mmCIF file of all heavy atoms in Angstrom:
data_model
loop_
_atom_site.group_PDB
_atom_site.id
_atom_site.type_symbol
_atom_site.label_atom_id
_atom_site.label_comp_id
_atom_site.label_asym_id
_atom_site.label_seq_id
_atom_site.Cartn_x
_atom_site.Cartn_y
_atom_site.Cartn_z
ATOM 1 N N THR M 422 81.510 101.945 50.798
ATOM 2 C CA THR M 422 82.740 102.147 50.004
ATOM 3 C C THR M 422 82.335 102.775 48.681
ATOM 4 O O THR M 422 83.041 103.655 48.183
ATOM 5 C CB THR M 422 83.509 100.842 49.836
ATOM 6 O OG1 THR M 422 83.851 100.365 51.085
ATOM 7 C CG2 THR M 422 84.793 101.057 48.989
ATOM 8 N N VAL M 423 81.253 102.303 48.062
ATOM 9 C CA VAL M 423 80.809 102.916 46.788
ATOM 10 C C VAL M 423 80.492 104.382 46.991
ATOM 11 O O VAL M 423 80.925 105.222 46.180
ATOM 12 C CB VAL M 423 79.540 102.144 46.295
ATOM 13 C CG1 VAL M 423 78.894 102.905 45.141
ATOM 14 C CG2 VAL M 423 79.845 100.730 45.828
ATOM 15 N N GLY M 424 79.789 104.697 48.082
ATOM 16 C CA GLY M 424 79.493 106.068 48.306
ATOM 17 C C GLY M 424 80.747 106.930 48.572
ATOM 18 O O GLY M 424 80.887 108.037 48.094
ATOM 19 N N LEU M 425 81.697 106.383 49.353
ATOM 20 C CA LEU M 425 82.900 107.158 49.689
ATOM 21 C C LEU M 425 83.695 107.448 48.435
ATOM 22 O O LEU M 425 84.133 108.542 48.181
ATOM 23 C CB LEU M 425 83.793 106.372 50.654
ATOM 24 C CG LEU M 425 85.133 106.973 50.956
ATOM 25 C CD1 LEU M 425 85.024 108.202 51.778
ATOM 26 C CD2 LEU M 425 86.072 105.981 51.595
ATOM 27 N N VAL M 426 83.875 106.430 47.583
ATOM 28 C CA VAL M 426 84.683 106.610 46.403
ATOM 29 C C VAL M 426 83.987 107.539 45.391
ATOM 30 O O VAL M 426 84.650 108.419 44.828
ATOM 31 C CB VAL M 426 84.998 105.258 45.725
ATOM 32 C CG1 VAL M 426 85.677 105.463 44.372
ATOM 33 C CG2 VAL M 426 85.909 104.422 46.621
ATOM 34 N N ALA M 427 82.704 107.452 45.328
ATOM 35 C CA ALA M 427 81.966 108.341 44.395
ATOM 36 C C ALA M 427 82.068 109.776 44.890
ATOM 37 O O ALA M 427 82.298 110.685 44.083
ATOM 38 C CB ALA M 427 80.520 107.898 44.376
ATOM 39 N N ILE M 428 81.906 109.994 46.182
ATOM 40 C CA ILE M 428 82.000 111.387 46.744
ATOM 41 C C ILE M 428 83.431 111.928 46.475
ATOM 42 O O ILE M 428 83.561 113.106 46.075
ATOM 43 C CB ILE M 428 81.580 111.433 48.211
ATOM 44 C CG1 ILE M 428 80.108 111.156 48.325
ATOM 45 C CG2 ILE M 428 81.998 112.722 48.844
ATOM 46 C CD1 ILE M 428 79.601 110.932 49.725
ATOM 47 N N LEU M 429 84.414 111.139 46.847
ATOM 48 C CA LEU M 429 85.798 111.637 46.723
ATOM 49 C C LEU M 429 86.174 111.873 45.232
ATOM 50 O O LEU M 429 86.866 112.820 44.927
ATOM 51 C CB LEU M 429 86.797 110.654 47.395
ATOM 52 C CG LEU M 429 86.761 110.589 48.903
ATOM 53 C CD1 LEU M 429 87.756 109.591 49.369
ATOM 54 C CD2 LEU M 429 86.992 111.954 49.475
ATOM 55 N N ALA M 430 85.711 110.969 44.320
ATOM 56 C CA ALA M 430 86.043 111.162 42.914
ATOM 57 C C ALA M 430 85.313 112.432 42.433
ATOM 58 O O ALA M 430 85.923 113.195 41.609
ATOM 59 C CB ALA M 430 85.551 109.970 42.152
ATOM 60 N N ARG M 431 84.129 112.682 42.881
ATOM 61 C CA ARG M 431 83.380 113.916 42.439
ATOM 62 C C ARG M 431 84.099 115.148 42.970
ATOM 63 O O ARG M 431 84.268 116.130 42.247
ATOM 64 C CB ARG M 431 81.951 113.808 42.907
ATOM 65 C CG ARG M 431 81.111 114.970 42.545
ATOM 66 C CD ARG M 431 80.787 114.993 41.087
ATOM 67 N NE ARG M 431 79.800 116.054 40.811
ATOM 68 C CZ ARG M 431 79.380 116.374 39.588
ATOM 69 N NH1 ARG M 431 79.864 115.696 38.561
ATOM 70 N NH2 ARG M 431 78.538 117.293 39.458
ATOM 71 N N ARG M 432 84.439 115.113 44.221
ATOM 72 C CA ARG M 432 85.039 116.275 44.904
ATOM 73 C C ARG M 432 86.461 116.571 44.448
ATOM 74 O O ARG M 432 86.816 117.683 44.121
ATOM 75 C CB ARG M 432 85.029 116.097 46.401
ATOM 76 C CG ARG M 432 85.604 117.185 47.230
ATOM 77 C CD ARG M 432 84.789 118.457 47.086
ATOM 78 N NE ARG M 432 85.311 119.479 47.947
ATOM 79 C CZ ARG M 432 86.019 120.511 47.519
ATOM 80 N NH1 ARG M 432 86.281 120.657 46.236
ATOM 81 N NH2 ARG M 432 86.489 121.412 48.341
ATOM 82 N N LEU M 433 87.300 115.496 44.403
ATOM 83 C CA LEU M 433 88.707 115.688 44.107
ATOM 84 C C LEU M 433 88.983 115.641 42.614
ATOM 85 O O LEU M 433 89.863 116.391 42.109
ATOM 86 C CB LEU M 433 89.547 114.614 44.839
ATOM 87 C CG LEU M 433 89.458 114.617 46.326
ATOM 88 C CD1 LEU M 433 90.232 113.424 46.944
ATOM 89 C CD2 LEU M 433 89.946 115.929 46.925
ATOM 90 N N GLY M 434 88.269 114.796 41.856
ATOM 91 C CA GLY M 434 88.562 114.668 40.465
ATOM 92 C C GLY M 434 87.650 115.521 39.571
ATOM 93 O O GLY M 434 87.909 115.714 38.388
ATOM 94 N N ARG M 435 86.547 115.940 40.112
ATOM 95 C CA ARG M 435 85.570 116.728 39.379
ATOM 96 C C ARG M 435 85.096 116.014 38.120
ATOM 97 O O ARG M 435 84.931 116.606 37.007
ATOM 98 C CB ARG M 435 86.161 118.099 38.987
ATOM 99 C CG ARG M 435 86.710 118.855 40.179
ATOM 100 C CD ARG M 435 86.158 120.241 40.293
ATOM 101 N NE ARG M 435 86.827 121.025 41.287
ATOM 102 C CZ ARG M 435 86.344 121.217 42.459
ATOM 103 N NH1 ARG M 435 85.195 120.661 42.836
ATOM 104 N NH2 ARG M 435 86.971 121.895 43.369
ATOM 105 N N TYR M 436 84.913 114.731 38.243
ATOM 106 C CA TYR M 436 84.417 113.877 37.152
ATOM 107 C C TYR M 436 82.893 113.992 37.034
ATOM 108 O O TYR M 436 82.208 114.454 37.945
ATOM 109 C CB TYR M 436 84.774 112.439 37.328
ATOM 110 C CG TYR M 436 86.293 112.165 37.343
ATOM 111 C CD1 TYR M 436 86.915 111.674 38.488
ATOM 112 C CD2 TYR M 436 87.020 112.406 36.219
ATOM 113 C CE1 TYR M 436 88.270 111.459 38.505
ATOM 114 C CE2 TYR M 436 88.436 112.233 36.220
ATOM 115 C CZ TYR M 436 89.033 111.715 37.389
ATOM 116 O OH TYR M 436 90.373 111.514 37.412
ATOM 117 N N ALA M 437 82.357 113.498 35.957
ATOM 118 C CA ALA M 437 80.887 113.445 35.762
ATOM 119 C C ALA M 437 80.340 112.476 36.776
ATOM 120 O O ALA M 437 81.026 111.554 37.233
ATOM 121 C CB ALA M 437 80.568 112.982 34.348
ATOM 122 N N LEU M 438 79.085 112.690 37.206
ATOM 123 C CA LEU M 438 78.473 111.883 38.219
ATOM 124 C C LEU M 438 78.487 110.378 37.865
ATOM 125 O O LEU M 438 78.691 109.512 38.680
ATOM 126 C CB LEU M 438 77.053 112.376 38.483
ATOM 127 C CG LEU M 438 76.357 111.781 39.685
ATOM 128 C CD1 LEU M 438 77.156 111.953 40.954
ATOM 129 C CD2 LEU M 438 74.974 112.375 39.874
ATOM 130 N N TRP M 439 78.155 110.084 36.589
ATOM 131 C CA TRP M 439 78.053 108.671 36.202
ATOM 132 C C TRP M 439 79.430 107.971 36.286
ATOM 133 O O TRP M 439 79.536 106.853 36.705
ATOM 134 C CB TRP M 439 77.520 108.553 34.765
ATOM 135 C CG TRP M 439 78.417 109.063 33.711
ATOM 136 C CD1 TRP M 439 78.498 110.301 33.188
ATOM 137 C CD2 TRP M 439 79.475 108.349 33.050
ATOM 138 N NE1 TRP M 439 79.472 110.438 32.264
ATOM 139 C CE2 TRP M 439 80.105 109.243 32.108
ATOM 140 C CE3 TRP M 439 79.966 107.064 33.140
ATOM 141 C CZ2 TRP M 439 81.167 108.840 31.297
ATOM 142 C CZ3 TRP M 439 81.010 106.658 32.338
ATOM 143 C CH2 TRP M 439 81.614 107.569 31.431
ATOM 144 N N ARG M 440 80.463 108.759 36.026
ATOM 145 C CA ARG M 440 81.834 108.197 36.087
ATOM 146 C C ARG M 440 82.224 107.972 37.550
ATOM 147 O O ARG M 440 82.825 106.958 37.915
ATOM 148 C CB ARG M 440 82.822 109.169 35.433
ATOM 149 C CG ARG M 440 84.207 108.600 35.407
ATOM 150 C CD ARG M 440 85.153 109.629 34.745
ATOM 151 N NE ARG M 440 85.220 109.286 33.317
ATOM 152 C CZ ARG M 440 85.985 109.913 32.442
ATOM 153 N NH1 ARG M 440 86.722 110.927 32.839
ATOM 154 N NH2 ARG M 440 86.022 109.550 31.213
ATOM 155 N N CYS M 441 81.824 108.890 38.472
ATOM 156 C CA CYS M 441 82.131 108.749 39.880
ATOM 157 C C CYS M 441 81.413 107.546 40.458
ATOM 158 O O CYS M 441 81.977 106.747 41.217
ATOM 159 C CB CYS M 441 81.671 110.033 40.645
ATOM 160 S SG CYS M 441 82.542 111.492 40.203
ATOM 161 N N LEU M 442 80.106 107.327 40.067
ATOM 162 C CA LEU M 442 79.386 106.165 40.514
ATOM 163 C C LEU M 442 79.996 104.865 39.980
ATOM 164 O O LEU M 442 80.111 103.842 40.664
ATOM 165 C CB LEU M 442 77.943 106.285 40.137
ATOM 166 C CG LEU M 442 77.129 107.347 40.852
ATOM 167 C CD1 LEU M 442 75.732 107.480 40.256
ATOM 168 C CD2 LEU M 442 77.067 107.015 42.348
ATOM 169 N N LEU M 443 80.490 104.903 38.724
ATOM 170 C CA LEU M 443 81.145 103.706 38.147
ATOM 171 C C LEU M 443 82.403 103.382 38.917
ATOM 172 O O LEU M 443 82.652 102.200 39.238
ATOM 173 C CB LEU M 443 81.443 104.001 36.634
ATOM 174 C CG LEU M 443 82.179 102.872 35.918
ATOM 175 C CD1 LEU M 443 81.324 101.623 35.832
ATOM 176 C CD2 LEU M 443 82.635 103.335 34.576
ATOM 177 N N TYR M 444 83.206 104.398 39.190
ATOM 178 C CA TYR M 444 84.380 104.183 40.013
ATOM 179 C C TYR M 444 84.088 103.593 41.371
ATOM 180 O O TYR M 444 84.752 102.700 41.875
ATOM 181 C CB TYR M 444 85.232 105.437 40.192
ATOM 182 C CG TYR M 444 85.848 105.981 38.915
ATOM 183 C CD1 TYR M 444 86.171 107.310 38.797
ATOM 184 C CD2 TYR M 444 86.208 105.158 37.891
ATOM 185 C CE1 TYR M 444 86.763 107.828 37.639
ATOM 186 C CE2 TYR M 444 86.767 105.679 36.742
ATOM 187 C CZ TYR M 444 87.052 106.991 36.603
ATOM 188 O OH TYR M 444 87.654 107.466 35.509
#
Side-chain angles (χ1 to χ4, degrees):
T422 302
V423 168
L425 174 74
V426 171
I428 289 170
L429 290 179
R431 179 73 172 174
R432 177 69 176 103
L433 300 175
R435 310 229 186 261
Y436 297 116
L438 187 58
W439 68 269
R440 185 180 267 183
C441 297
L442 290 173
L443 177 66
Y444 291 155

